[in-house]
């Protein structure tokens, strides 16, 4: 070991207590900070090296604890927690605010013709598909054919649903019609997320004991994780309600309120549930329960990355 920094800092876990909402919120305010997408490749690589070396017991001379935590959060914002691979920029949670602002601005500007509406809905759902796949749980990759099938089914289903529900707004009273776009977004999320993460629903996601030892794959855990992600994403759509309530005040004020809402809604909704979720062994599939009882008889709770 080199350097003076203690090796007792647990950077495998977030800096704040993840058993509380406030602890998770503090964690995600750093992870989803839009400024993270401006980090250069060199900065990201330096953060990766710092974090991975520290886990191996190698400390860069002069490294302070605050610098270590900063490196960890830069690392967490750009690298997948299961695969360790660098995530595509637009798929990172730190890209949610600028990407949603851009797409929303275009959707509000180009809405007068049906082709324009369909196109920007497709762009929106394509972006959501990228985010959903990028932030999936597990370390198993999809084949090109599987990914293409997931993308087509997710975007087509979500776009048709969103457009279908939005068409209802024309036949409803003005007060009720304002809520239709929110339900359209919610319904689209209920379609897009499961389709883009369908492999997890078919084969399961990795579950571990409290020490991180892999115990198997569970479809039950995958279902639980995806449901939690869907709920969080629906929460992130709440700022869109403000967007539709202020349409009479012009585009600038609409986007301003939407921006303010997104900045807070993204980390707070990510914090609704722990990213490292848990489940009782007794709630898992019977065959996996039996395997765990044989290989790890003292384990009563398993842990898994639910995704974001």
């Amino acid at each position: 070991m080199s350097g003076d920094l203690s090796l007792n800092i647990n950077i495998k876990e977030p800096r704040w207590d993840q058993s509380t909402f406030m602890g998770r919120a503090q964690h995600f305010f750093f992870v989803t900070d839009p400024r993270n997408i401006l980090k250069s490749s060199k900065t990201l690589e330096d953060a990766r090296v710092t974090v991975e070396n520290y886990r191996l017991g190698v400390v860069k001379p002069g490294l302070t604890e605050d610098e270590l935590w900063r490196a960890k959060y830069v690392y967490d914002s750009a690298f997948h927690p299961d695969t360790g691979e660098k995530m595509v920029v637009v798929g990172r949670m730190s890209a949610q605010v600028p990407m949603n602002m851009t797409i929303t601005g275009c959707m509000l500007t180009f809405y007068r013709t049906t082709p324009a509406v369909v196109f920007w809905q497709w762009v929106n759902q394509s972006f959501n598909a990228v985010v959903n796949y990028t932030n999936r749980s597990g370390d198993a990759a999809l084949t090109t054919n599987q990914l293409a099938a997931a993308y087509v089914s997710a975007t087509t289903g979500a776009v048709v649903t969103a457009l279908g529900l939005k068409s209802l707004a024309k036949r409803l009273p003005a007060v009720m019609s304002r809520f239709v776009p929110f339900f359209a977004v919610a319904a689209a999320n209920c379609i897009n997320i499961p389709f883009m993460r369908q492999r997890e629903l078919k084969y399961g996601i990795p579950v571990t004991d409290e020490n991180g030892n892999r115990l198997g794959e569970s479809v039950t855990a995958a279902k639980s994780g995806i449901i939690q992600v869907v709920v969080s994403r629906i929460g992130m759509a709440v700022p869109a309600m403000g967007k539709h309530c202020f349409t009479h005040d012009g585009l600038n004020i609409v986007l301003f309120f939407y921006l303010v809402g997104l900045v807070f809604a993204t980390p707070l909704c990510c914090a609704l549930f722990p990213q490292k979720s848990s489940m009782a062994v007794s709630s898992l599939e019977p065959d996996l329960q039996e395997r765990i009882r044989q290989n790890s008889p003292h384990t009563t709770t398993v842990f898994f990355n639910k995704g974001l």
Side-chain angles (χ1 to χ4, degrees):
M1 170 188 142
S2 60
D4 301 318
L5 188 63
S6 168
L7 286 175
N8 296 325
I9 303 170
N10 183 14
I11 61 169
K12 291 183 178 179
E13 301 293 337
R15 191 171 193 174
W16 295 277
D17 182 6
Q18 296 299 284
S19 66
T20 69
F21 175 77
M22 287 306 299
R24 295 194 296 272
Q26 286 177 289
H27 166 71
F28 282 112
F29 266 109
F30 278 85
V31 172
T32 65
D33 186 339
R35 293 174 296 178
N36 286 331
I37 64 171
L38 301 177
K39 304 292 186 186
S40 66
S41 295
K42 182 180 184 305
T43 299
L44 297 179
E45 181 61 18
D46 288 345
R48 184 188 68 79
V49 170
T50 297
V51 169
E52 292 184 355
N53 281 351
Y54 184 85
R55 290 172 177 171
L56 296 173
V58 179
V59 182
K60 183 170 64 176
L63 183 69
T64 67
E65 183 172 348
D66 283 341
E67 289 173 338
L68 175 63
W69 281 112
R70 278 198 294 273
K72 177 204 165 34
Y73 275 99
V74 170
Y75 175 86
D76 284 353
S77 75
F79 294 88
H80 194 276
D82 292 330
T83 66
E85 296 175 349
K86 186 188 291 185
M87 297 183 287
V88 62
V89 175
V90 297
R92 301 172 194 170
M93 294 309 292
S94 52
Q96 280 284 297
V97 172
M99 287 300 298
N100 274 309
M101 282 296 298
T102 301
I103 294 172
T104 298
C106 291
M107 291 175 75
L108 289 173
T109 302
F110 306 106
Y111 66 90
R112 291 181 174 84
T113 67
T114 299
V117 171
V118 172
F119 174 76
W120 285 108
Q121 278 290 344
W122 169 75
V123 170
N124 184 40
Q125 293 305 325
S126 293
F127 166 65
N128 288 336
V130 171
V131 173
N132 295 333
Y133 179 71
T134 301
N135 293 279
R136 66 196 183 281
S137 175
D139 51 11
L142 292 175
T143 65
T144 302
N145 288 340
Q146 289 174 328
L147 185 57
Y151 167 76
V152 171
S153 55
T155 53
T156 302
V159 167
V160 170
T161 300
L163 290 175
L165 285 175
K166 282 189 175 183
S167 69
L168 290 176
K170 301 174 182 177
R171 299 192 291 273
L172 293 174
V175 174
M176 294 180 64
S177 67
R178 291 180 184 270
F179 291 91
V180 172
F182 173 75
F183 289 115
V185 171
N189 274 319
C190 291
I191 293 172
N192 198 313
I193 294 171
F195 269 117
M196 287 307 298
R197 296 177 58 176
Q198 58 186 272
R199 187 191 186 285
E200 300 169 37
L201 294 172
K202 185 175 182 179
Y203 299 106
I205 58 175
V207 294
T208 69
D209 62 18
E210 60 183 0
N211 297 316
N213 299 310
R214 193 161 175 163
L215 301 172
E217 287 72 38
S218 170
V219 171
T220 302
K223 291 177 181 177
S224 174
I226 289 173
I227 289 172
Q228 291 175 27
V229 170
V230 168
V231 171
S232 295
R233 294 292 186 79
I234 291 174
M236 289 182 200
V238 170
M241 286 307 300
K243 178 182 70 177
H244 291 281
C245 289
F246 290 100
T247 50
H248 60 282
D249 291 321
L251 182 61
N252 289 338
I253 194 170
V254 171
L255 291 178
F256 172 75
F257 279 103
Y258 190 48
L259 170 62
V260 172
L262 271 178
V263 167
F264 289 95
T266 300
L268 293 178
C269 290
C270 282
L272 289 176
F273 307 97
Q275 183 169 2
K276 184 179 179 181
S277 293
S278 61
M279 178 176 287
V281 170
S282 58
S283 298
L284 299 173
E285 299 90 321
D287 59 330
L288 182 55
Q289 288 185 43
E290 184 59 31
R291 212 182 322 153
I292 292 174
R293 291 193 188 99
Q294 291 178 0
N295 300 328
S296 185
H298 300 296
T299 299
T300 58
T301 303
V302 296
F303 301 87
F304 56 93
N305 169 31
K306 70 172 179 61
L308 289 175

